[in-house]
Amino acid sequence: MTETPEPAKPSFRSDVTVELVKHSAGDADVLFAARVSTAGEQSLEEVTKDPERSKGLINFLMRDRHGSPFEHNSMTFFISAPIFVFREFMRHRVGWSYNEESGRYRQLEPVFYVPDESRKLVQQGRPGKYEFVEGTQAQHELTGRVMEDSYRQAYEAYQEMLAAGVAREVARSVLPVGLYSSMYATCNARSLMHFLGLRTQHEMATVPSFPQREIEMVGQRMEEHWARLMPLTHEAFNKNGRVAP
């Protein structure tokens, strides 16, 4: 006799996953694209001739905001994060491509976001001029307990509807935005720089940004991968105030 599998039980995370799954990206991509305007087909031969001159050219392009040479590259990331992070991600449309897992075609796994104690909980100030400060131990305990209870109840309702034959695309409506989803996101260096300028806080940024912490966590991990692939471009980005060209 076949045993009925145990219903999946909710699990809880406070982190995000960002993996660089493939890329065609390097500082040389910027150099040959920029030099074609003066060197034509010989621009490929110029890439390795003078490293300092190449560094200066990338900085010039960044400083004077000649942006198109930074588009001739590609990076694809696999990202796992709460759904509310992806809803913010979709605000970035130029230079990005997305494919996310579907709750219409597969049963969604019960993995949910609960912030850890490093997450500032209390918002102070008015919109446009507010800050987040540390929460009390009681606030953190309340947040964790209430969120976990809510997630369990929502997933039980989801499973009940699925067991009764309700379509996945209907049953998923009861699930909260704290549910983890996964997607592939593909971008180029120029579109990533624009994302980082808005979604991360940094001491070298000349334009202030006020990102939600969870999408900033994703941005920081993407930036780590990109910095290794294109160190001269990343250096110029920081040097020139972290403003996308």
Side-chain angles (χ1 to χ4, degrees), residues 49 60 99 140 158 170-171 194 217 228 239 244:
K49 280 189 176 180
F60 161 75
N99 279 93
H140 277 283
Y158 175 67
V170 177
H194 183 260
M217 290 162 58
R228 287 191 289 269
K239 183 177 179 180

Side-chain angles (χ1 to χ4, degrees), residues 14 115-121 134 140 213 217:
S14 61
D116 62 22
E117 292 192 357
S118 68
R119 204 326 179 169
K120 296 179 179 179
L121 291 184
E134 303 292 341
H140 277 283
R213 176 56 187 151
M217 290 162 58

Side-chain angles (χ1 to χ4, degrees), residues 161-214:
M161 285 192 285
L162 293 180
V166 176
R168 287 184 290 266
E169 66 182 47
V170 177
R172 66 177 174 169
S173 301
V174 301
L175 295 174
V177 293
L179 181 77
Y180 273 72
S181 186
S182 59
M183 72 171 178
Y184 289 104
T186 299
C187 63
N188 59 55
R190 190 183 192 185
S191 54
L192 180 58
M193 284 186 279
H194 183 260
F195 177 91
L196 295 174
L198 291 172
R199 301 298 183 179
T200 61
Q201 288 186 322
H202 197 281
E203 60 183 7
M204 300 185 75
T206 55
V207 179
S209 180
F210 306 95
Q212 183 161 342
R213 176 56 187 151
E214 289 76 14

